[in-house]
Amino acid sequence: MLNPKAALFLIALVPRFVAGEPALGDALALSLIAVAGAVLWFLPVADVGGALRRLLARTAVLKAVGGLTGTALIALGVNLAVAGRS
């Protein structure tokens, strides 16, 4: 794990789920299950991210996204300016 907060969370959480006297094997098994779950989650997330990267690499899509986000930010700014005056 590259995130120290996640490692500390597992160190604090895993012993509570080990019945009786905590054994290294039980704690290791629970930790491996948690890591396997994380891997099974992040593989599809990375796959979707790769697909979105290919989609967003197109100039037309990039311009459309830029235009939509720019319009949304302008609308929010106008809304904030109007709301501040009333």
Side-chain angles (χ1 to χ4, degrees), residues 37-70:
V39 167
L40 288 175
W41 169 251
F42 282 116
L43 284 175
V45 168
D47 192 37
V48 169
L52 285 176
R53 180 178 179 206
R54 287 188 296 275
L55 177 70
L56 291 174
R58 298 179 186 165
T59 306
V61 174
L62 193 57
K63 284 183 181 180
V65 169
L68 286 172
T69 55

